[in-house]
Amino acid sequence: MGQKKDLTGSEKSKIVRYLAEGCSSLKIAKLLKRDHRTIKRFIQNSQQGRKKRVEKPRRKITAHELRKVKRAAAKMPLATSLAIFQSCSITGVPKSTRCAILRDMAKVRKAERRPPLNKTHKLKRQDWAKKYLKTDFSKVLWTDEMRVSLDGPDGWARGWIGKGQRAPVRLRRQQGGGGVLVWAGIIKDELVGPFRVEDGVKLNSQSYCQFLEDTFFKQWYRKKSASFKKNMIFMQDNAPSHVSKYSTAWLARKGIKEEKLMTWPPCAPDLNPIENLWSIIKCEIYKEGKQYTSLNSVWEAVVAAARNVDGEQIKTLTESMDGRLLSVLAKKGAYIGR
């Protein structure tokens, strides 16, 4: 009877079955034609189970070192825990301890993506802030489009999982499984829309104006009083379909021209309060890593989330404009926090 190195998976299964039937290790060795020592070793290892992990004593961090870590974390945004502790000349601290310490004073964040600002951009942002500094922003309609996909942002599918639980399966689809383009506006404490752009329609000047005609003008604007229309200021960003000669002339025929059409500075998503509304809606529809199976289902989720946004939340956003303008001037045209 020759001695072999390792038992196969099939042999291990048979050993377990034979043991359950009351066979001795010697009898099992004869049945499998394996060395008796190999069978006994497998049985002994199975009965011992896994060895418990020995917890090593953690290095204690002094109050002085904690202050150094806090200052380093403030000076080194997006740095790793190892880099932060090394900059403080603190060694011998395991990763789990470093992360536990940093979790009390910092949060893991991704770098924000924003279009680059050059000198001309900053000057135009300052000029815009000076021009509208005395504007009554309760009369401004802030508008924008948002695309929502079936899968949502990848980074939002993370969260805490209890010990012993398996992470749920997440579908992987190209381009987030497709998406829906949504248009909306906010004025004072009122939400206009949201309205859905027809699937497959690319918003050029003609389709954008037709979309506004079918949704914004017919379903909302025409119901307003003459005094409201006279005082309302329409805001839109500098997308090509918005600022083309065709769109500008079309809006002028609708009475939205000159001072009633707000000029918009370049690279200014941080100045549009409706961007914050989009964040509120996305947090709601993609909470807990939720995904959708159809474009209609994600659109229904957007509508439901928009209905849950109350007037006070919208009013808070529109009333933040005075502060945003002052921040732009104080930062000499640089980006402001939203």
Side-chain angles (χ1 to χ4, degrees):
M1 193 186 308
Q3 181 178 352
K4 297 181 181 179
K5 290 185 178 180
D6 296 316
L7 292 167
T8 65
S10 175
E11 287 174 330
K12 291 177 181 178
S13 299
K14 289 179 180 179
I15 292 172
V16 174
R17 188 171 70 250
Y18 288 146
L19 286 173
E21 293 173 357
C23 297
S24 65
S25 60
L26 182 61
K27 185 177 180 180
I28 294 172
K30 290 179 180 179
L31 290 171
L32 297 180
K33 297 181 180 181
R34 295 296 302 259
D35 186 81
H36 184 216
R37 292 170 296 178
T38 303
I39 303 299
K40 286 185 68 177
R41 190 181 307 114
F42 170 76
I43 295 173
Q44 289 173 354
N45 291 340
S46 301
Q47 291 174 344
Q48 287 176 0
R50 293 184 178 180
K51 293 183 179 180
K52 291 185 177 180
R53 180 180 174 182
V54 179
E55 292 288 340
K56 296 181 181 179
R58 293 185 175 182
R59 183 192 186 290
K60 292 185 178 180
I61 306 295
T62 66
H64 175 65
E65 288 175 328
L66 280 176
R67 290 194 293 271
K68 290 173 66 177
V69 169
K70 189 172 183 178
R71 287 195 295 267
K75 293 179 180 179
M76 303 168 61
L78 302 181
T80 63
S81 63
L82 180 60
I84 292 173
F85 274 72
Q86 284 179 342
S87 70
C88 301
S89 301
I90 303 174
T91 58
V93 182
K95 183 179 179 180
S96 58
T97 304
R98 296 196 306 264
C99 293
I101 292 171
L102 288 171
R103 205 173 289 123
D104 293 333
M105 62 182 70
K107 292 182 179 180
V108 177
R109 288 285 186 269
K110 287 184 177 180
E112 294 185 15
R113 294 182 178 181
R114 289 174 174 173
L117 285 179
N118 57 35
K119 187 176 180 180
T120 303
H121 293 155
K122 292 180 180 180
L123 289 173
K124 288 184 177 180
R125 284 164 60 92
Q126 291 181 77
D127 291 341
W128 177 84
K130 292 174 183 177
K131 178 180 178 180
Y132 290 102
L133 196 57
K134 297 182 179 180
T135 301
D136 181 0
F137 290 111
S138 67
K139 294 180 172 58
V140 177
L141 175 69
W142 308 93
T143 72
D144 194 26
E145 295 93 8
M146 168 187 69
R147 178 169 290 278
V148 289
S149 65
L150 299 184
D151 294 345
D154 291 335
W156 291 17
R158 298 180 181 180
W160 293 99
I161 302 284
K163 290 183 178 179
Q165 293 181 329
R166 296 188 63 183
V169 177
R170 185 168 177 82
L171 301 176
R172 294 184 62 184
R173 296 174 284 201
Q174 290 186 349
Q175 303 297 324
V180 174
L181 186 62
V182 180
W183 182 97
I186 55 175
I187 181 170
K188 198 175 181 179
D189 59 355
E190 184 177 358
L191 172 63
V192 183
F195 299 116
R196 177 179 177 177
V197 178
E198 187 178 347
D199 298 339
V201 173
K202 184 178 180 180
L203 281 186
N204 54 30
S205 300
Q206 290 78 12
S207 58
Y208 173 66
C209 294
Q210 187 61 51
F211 170 79
L212 290 181
E213 176 65 32
D214 296 337
T215 55
F216 168 68
F217 282 103
K218 287 186 177 180
Q219 299 183 38
W220 187 82
Y221 188 71
R222 72 176 184 179
K223 299 177 183 178
K224 297 298 180 179
S225 64
S227 61
F228 176 89
K229 295 176 182 178
K230 181 181 179 181
N231 295 318
M232 191 198 80
I233 301 173
F234 187 84
M235 172 271 155
Q236 58 184 1
D237 61 24
N238 293 324
S241 60
H242 298 174
V243 297
S244 67
K245 291 182 179 179
Y246 180 93
S247 299
T248 303
W250 185 85
L251 286 171
R253 291 196 296 270
K254 292 288 184 178
I256 299 176
K257 57 184 177 179
E258 299 172 352
E259 295 302 318
K260 288 177 58 62
L261 181 61
M262 177 178 282
T263 57
W264 194 245
C267 305
D270 55 326
L271 301 179
N272 191 352
I274 201 173
E275 295 287 352
N276 300 87
L277 175 69
W278 295 145
S279 297
I280 294 171
I281 291 176
K282 284 185 176 181
C283 286
E284 178 64 25
I285 66 176
Y286 295 125
K287 65 182 179 182
E288 299 177 358
K290 185 173 178 59
Q291 292 178 288
Y292 298 88
T293 55
S294 68
L295 298 181
N296 286 334
S297 62
V298 72
W299 165 243
E300 290 170 0
V302 169
V303 174
R307 287 174 181 167
N308 289 332
V309 180
D310 58 39
E312 285 301 316
Q313 287 178 286
I314 296 173
K315 189 176 181 180
T316 300
L317 297 180
T318 55
E319 288 183 346
S320 69
M321 288 309 302
D322 291 318
R324 296 187 194 219
L325 268 63
L326 292 174
S327 296
V328 170
L329 294 174
K331 293 190 174 184
K332 298 181 179 180
Y335 279 121
I336 61 173
R338 287 187 290 173

